[in-house]
Amino acid sequence: MWYYEKKLQYPVKVRECNPRLAKYLIEQYGGADGELSAALRYLNQRYTIPGKVIGLLNDIGTEEFAHLEMIATMIYKLTKDATPEMLEAAGLAPHYVNHDSALFYHNSAGNPWTAEYIQAKGDPIADIYEDIAAEEKARATYQWIINMSDDPELNDSLKFLREREIVHSQRFREAAEILKEDRDKKIFF
Amino acid sequence: MQPTYTKYYYPYVSPFDPCKPILKKSYPTPPQLYMGFQPPNLPQFNPKEALYHGTLWPSLYDEYNKKDYRGDEHD
């Protein structure tokens, strides 16, 4: 189970009303390499992986939900007071007719989130390598969003999230090393 | 030291597990995880053996057996 702390992992400030940025950020919300995919992937793989790395998947999967909240907050702030005309100008008219300014789990092209984005192969090495790849893809997505954004305060939060992807990738790489270790083997000198 | 290509772990066994618990569970850690950049001039199979094994190099060969033969242990 989880305990909930009613605050964000890192503050989210948005300087200007820019619904177009929300359209890009939704990629990290309901996209293939987004935070929802990450959280569900790790928390699901936990059950069938050696005990030594269950805790890591648990902790990182939980943190991904904290990131999901930050992304949601960004998108919400960027669109909450936008008029239908402003949303239309930002290319969000199809979103508006379906959802008003509610958030929804789809990518920036409007494709709904699908479980096909994630995998649980059951082979510990295959699963951890997928997780490493997922972290690198999420890092890249943050880079491309930062490149498209000129909001310095929003970019500050995005840079924090990009850095967390780097740390997670490192931890998963360490998990791969743990899985590779010959623990039962006697050491001869 | 030659790494092993099968590892084992001992999953948690609950007193309330409905099925007969697996006490010792195997998972594969095949040779490519350990080689890094393949060094030159490794020993090779002869061509016919290589064809059967799917690789020229014994050090990349990993015989995968069915789970029953991998050393997994049930209660």
Side-chain angles (χ1 to χ4, degrees):
Chain A
M1 71 176 282
W2 279 268
Y3 288 98
Y4 187 74
E5 249 184 274
K6 205 168 174 147
K7 59 188 180 190
L8 293 176
Q9 188 191 8
Y10 186 89
V12 167
K13 265 197 166 172
V14 179
R15 187 172 285 184
E16 49 180 335
C17 172
N18 186 354
R20 184 166 290 276
L21 255 182
K23 185 173 162 60
Y24 305 145
L25 278 168
I26 202 96
E27 188 67 34
Q28 289 291 34
Y29 194 64
D33 307 316
E35 303 291 355
L36 180 71
S37 301
L40 297 181
R41 180 188 297 110
Y42 306 150
L43 293 176
N44 180 252
Q45 288 176 357
R46 283 181 299 175
Y47 297 95
T48 48
I49 206 140
K52 284 213 163 184
V53 300
I54 292 175
L56 180 73
L57 286 171
N58 196 1
D59 292 351
I60 295 182
T62 301
E63 185 178 342
E64 303 295 359
F65 275 129
H67 296 171
L68 189 70
E69 280 191 315
M70 287 178 61
I71 298 292
T73 305
M74 292 175 192
I75 295 168
Y76 171 69
K77 286 190 176 193
L78 285 165
T79 55
K80 74 183 179 91
D81 300 314
T83 62
E85 291 73 27
M86 292 164 73
L87 292 174
E88 187 177 26
L92 283 169
H95 185 278
Y96 177 75
V97 296
N98 200 359
H99 306 288
D100 190 359
S101 43
L103 281 76
F104 191 67
Y105 293 114
H106 56 202
N107 69 8
S108 61
N111 304 117
W113 188 87
T114 159
E116 288 174 29
Y117 289 157
I118 64 177
Q119 180 55 285
K121 206 72 219 178
D123 178 291
I125 296 293
D127 281 348
I128 287 293
Y129 272 52
E130 156 148 343
D131 300 344
I132 295 169
E135 293 293 336
E136 303 301 354
K137 288 189 278 183
R139 172 181 59 77
T141 308
Y142 278 119
Q143 290 162 192
W144 313 152
I145 296 173
I146 290 167
N147 291 350
M148 302 278 278
S149 156
D150 46 16
D151 185 323
E153 290 179 291
L154 194 77
N155 280 353
D156 181 60
S157 307
L158 292 175
K159 286 174 184 178
F160 170 85
L161 290 170
R162 176 182 175 274
E163 182 59 39
R164 296 309 299 160
E165 309 295 343
I166 293 173
V167 175
H168 291 171
S169 172
Q170 172 62 23
R171 297 296 168 249
F172 283 133
R173 285 160 200 268
E174 289 162 3
E177 292 305 312
I178 290 171
L179 293 175
K180 282 163 64 180
E181 261 171 26
D182 267 305
R183 273 178 292 116
D184 296 338
K185 215 164 179 183
K186 290 178 185 70
I187 298 164
F188 297 102
F189 294 98
Chain B
M1 197 167 64
Q2 183 81 1
T4 60
Y5 300 144
T6 302
K7 304 284 187 296
Y8 300 93
Y9 68 108
Y10 302 86
Y12 171 70
V13 175
S14 157
F16 307 113
D17 283 345
C19 306
K20 205 162 63 122
I22 297 170
L23 300 177
K24 186 181 182 185
K25 204 172 156 134
S26 71
Y27 64 95
T29 49
Q32 80 277 17
L33 295 175
Y34 301 96
M35 189 171 282
F37 212 110
Q38 182 174 340
N41 306 318
L42 290 178
Q44 297 185 358
F45 289 120
N46 67 47
K48 191 178 169 189
E49 286 290 300
L51 211 51
Y52 286 142
H53 283 97
T55 176
L56 249 187
W57 301 278
S59 47
L60 269 181
Y61 179 66
D62 178 28
E63 188 188 22
Y64 183 81
N65 286 313
K66 286 163 82 85
K67 252 201 155 120
D68 327 7
Y69 304 109
R70 295 174 69 79
D72 294 45
E73 283 169 18
H74 269 86
D75 193 8

